[in-house]
Amino acid sequence: MRDDTEQIRALIEDWAEAVHRGRIDAVVADHAEDIVMFDVPPPYRGVRGIDAYRQVWPPFFAWQAQGAVFDIEEMEVTAGEDVAFAHALVRCGTEDELTARPGFRLRLTLGLRKEAGRWVVAHEHHSFPDLS
């Protein structure tokens, strides 16, 4: 059996692949029922609960289908016995956007907890740096 850090890394990589492919059931699969997500677009108070989390993805999938990428470039995972966090830089944008700003990356932070022996994402935060 893989250790917790490896399990979490695989969970996040699988999630990113599901996001890239627009597979909503796989995107929500390893998230807690009471997920809280702070995202780039509104609502700025966050998205709360798995049903609300599921509803925010279709517009992103539609944008991404126009040729955008969503690729984890680097990731760090720290796992305790029943809580963990991870942070990553994600290459996220259209080729034109990424050509115009080659180093521009989405920042991703995840808080996880172990429920019934299984890791789930309880908190998710996406942000872009303010380049103004």
Side-chain angles (χ1 to χ4, degrees):
M1 177 145 161
R2 298 182 293 184
D3 74 8
D4 289 330
T5 300
E6 291 172 340
Q7 289 176 33
I8 292 166
R9 182 174 292 281
L11 179 153
I12 296 167
E13 289 169 350
D14 291 348
W15 169 83
E17 180 68 19
V19 168
H20 178 67
R21 296 197 180 280
R23 296 185 175 152
I24 191 62
D25 289 338
V27 169
V28 302
D30 292 311
H31 284 68
E33 288 293 320
D34 62 346
I35 176 76
V36 174
M37 179 180 71
F38 296 123
D39 202 358
V40 174
Y44 296 116
R45 293 194 39 125
V47 172
R48 294 164 192 271
I50 197 70
D51 292 334
Y53 180 80
R54 178 183 288 274
Q55 291 173 12
V56 301
W57 286 103
F60 182 83
F61 296 154
W63 168 78
Q64 191 174 232
Q66 300 171 25
V69 297
F70 191 86
D71 299 318
I72 294 175
E73 285 195 337
E74 59 183 75
M75 177 178 20
E76 296 290 329
V77 175
T78 302
E81 214 172 291
D82 56 359
V83 294
F85 69 90
H87 56 87
L89 293 176
V90 180
R91 193 167 173 266
C92 178
T94 64
E95 286 305 318
D96 288 345
E97 291 168 335
L98 295 170
T99 298
R101 294 182 168 168
F104 197 61
R105 298 297 179 262
L106 174 74
R107 300 174 296 193
L108 171 67
T109 305
L110 302 169
L112 301 96
R113 68 177 178 245
K114 199 176 268 190
E115 291 182 351
R118 173 178 163 256
W119 287 104
V120 295
V121 177
H123 179 79
E124 187 172 318
H125 188 136
H126 312 154
S127 66
F128 282 108
D130 181 4
L131 301 178
S132 57

